[in-house]
Amino acid sequence: MIRSVVRGFGAALPKRVLSNRELESMVETSDEWIVQRTGIRQRYIAGEGETTASLGADAARAALANAGLSAEDVDLIICATSTPDNTFPATAVNIQNRLGITHGFAFDVQAVCSGFVYAVATADLYIRGGMAKRVLVIGAETFSRILDWTDRTTCVLFGDGAGAIVLEAQEGQGGLADRGILTSQLRSDGSHKEKLYVDGGPSTTGTVGHLRMEGREVFKHAVGMITDVIEQSFEATGISAADVDWLVPHQANKRIIDGSAKKLGIPPEKVVVTVDQHGNTSAASIPLALATAAADGRIKRGDLVLLEAMGGGFTWGAVLLRW
Ligand code: ACO
């Protein structure tokens, strides 16, 4: 059977680092509060000329180089983002143009912080359905541009960046020893809209709007939703938490990550954490964390890797794959 195998990975971050200390001069907050409540120590902020598409294209180039491929070898580009360069065309098409190709097709996926998990699951279906052989799956965001920088309850949490992987169709045996995606589990429930949303849009206000969040409410639902889809992934495959080599969670908050890992019985040394360095970069956070842990040699070929995310909508999901 056809499996969607990770052939390469890459990441891109803006030049500018914004520390918690610097934030202290912008809103009434403290490094201590931010670290204690979230685990975040710094985040990257896009400057002039740095956009979701430029960061996404840089991450895509890095992933192609890591895979030993060129843009010519790719037939589909999926970009997960909630902060597109323009309302349309899709950021993925913008990235396709920046990569200098006109063949194949490209589109965006919008599932906020779960966007990368949704995009990977979508790419896997295109590959297994025979519509694509190599897919660039990108998570790219510039959340700094939709933050209300006077609202200390949200502006300290988010950052900008992009990550990408190349998924390739490869022949597998159909068993759990195969490399590639073994299962994807996706969920959403729109009744939670008011807890995490942007208060603008083309069809309502005609403006871009700002991110609004009831942090405590989001927190309350996060661990349960995340662990539910992970347990569904275990049920679908017969894999158990003890078999997992690496949990690569969405990087929203260290306490959510720790709480989820503890509930699942996954020890901290198997959890990839980058939220301290990147803040919450929404759809970019998982591919950024994947690229970090693969580049430093933690994630190795053959490792069982569990991705999970939960975000605005609410949307949530998990992907279990062998690297
Ligand atoms: N600096 C200092 N004090 C602050 C700040 C700040 N930046 N922000 C809020 N406070 C204050 C509040 O005003 C409140 O003060 P009060 O007690 O006098 O009213 C106090 O700190 C506690 O506020 P809470 O909201 O109860 O703090 P909590 O412990 O819940 O932490 C946080 C807030 C970090 C947002 C937490 O609820 C959280 O992480 N929620 C999950 C949300 C999340 O991660 N969303 C990301 C997007 S969704 C996703 O990706 C999963």
Side-chain angles (χ1 to χ4, degrees), residues 34-297:
I34 300 170
V35 172
Q36 193 194 46
R37 303 282 175 135
T38 72
I40 299 167
R41 294 183 183 275
Q42 62 167 46
R43 72 286 292 142
Y44 291 79
I45 303 293
E48 217 180 296
E50 290 176 321
T51 69
T52 296
S54 80
L55 293 166
D58 286 346
R61 284 187 201 98
L64 288 168
N66 179 262
L69 296 170
S70 80
E72 293 298 327
D73 301 317
V74 167
D75 39 27
L76 168 59
I77 301 172
I78 304 178
C79 181
T81 188
S82 300
T83 46
D85 280 31
N86 299 93
T87 303
F88 75 79
T91 300
V93 180
N94 184 329
I95 292 171
Q96 179 193 27
N97 183 45
R98 286 168 188 263
L99 296 178
I101 54 172
T102 53
H103 70 275
F105 61 114
F107 61 86
D108 286 357
V109 162
Q110 212 278 46
V112 204
C113 299
S114 312
F116 188 74
V117 167
Y118 271 58
V120 167
T122 306
D124 180 41
L125 288 173
Y126 275 92
I127 287 174
R128 286 191 292 120
M131 274 185 78
K133 289 226 160 8
R134 291 203 191 95
V135 187
L136 255 174
V137 187
I138 304 163
E141 302 279 16
T142 47
F143 260 52
S144 66
R145 305 223 158 106
I146 55 163
L147 293 175
D148 174 352
W149 284 98
T150 64
D151 174 12
R152 69 175 183 173
T153 69
T154 54
C155 77
V156 304
L157 301 173
F158 295 88
D160 303 334
I165 59 171
V166 181
L167 282 177
E168 180 177 75
Q170 290 185 12
E171 203 57 54
Q173 300 304 310
L176 296 177
D178 283 355
R179 291 183 69 209
I181 293 168
L182 302 174
T183 190
S184 303
Q185 305 290 328
L186 302 182
R187 292 292 314 280
S188 67
D189 178 353
S191 68
H192 296 285
K193 182 197 163 193
E194 300 305 323
K195 301 183 182 83
L196 178 52
Y197 68 104
V198 169
D199 63 3
S203 162
T204 49
T205 57
T207 63
V208 171
H210 290 113
L211 182 147
R212 304 292 172 204
M213 179 171 73
E214 296 169 26
R216 218 177 293 185
E217 282 298 311
V218 176
F219 200 105
K220 232 167 59 186
H221 288 86
V223 173
M225 287 179 162
I226 290 163
T227 50
D228 272 359
V229 279
I230 291 177
E231 272 154 13
Q232 280 166 17
S233 304
F234 291 158
E235 266 170 44
T237 54
I239 282 166
S240 74
D243 302 320
V244 172
D245 294 299
W246 295 105
L247 173 64
V248 185
H250 168 48
Q251 308 284 319
N253 182 311
K254 181 78 164 56
R255 288 189 294 151
I256 296 176
I257 295 173
D258 291 347
S260 309
K262 191 168 174 210
K263 193 168 166 203
L264 291 160
I266 297 177
E269 59 273 18
K270 289 186 171 182
V271 183
V272 176
V273 177
T274 52
V275 70
D276 54 328
Q277 296 300 305
H278 301 155
N280 181 349
T281 57
S282 191
S285 92
I286 291 177
L288 273 170
L290 268 178
T292 302
D296 68 21

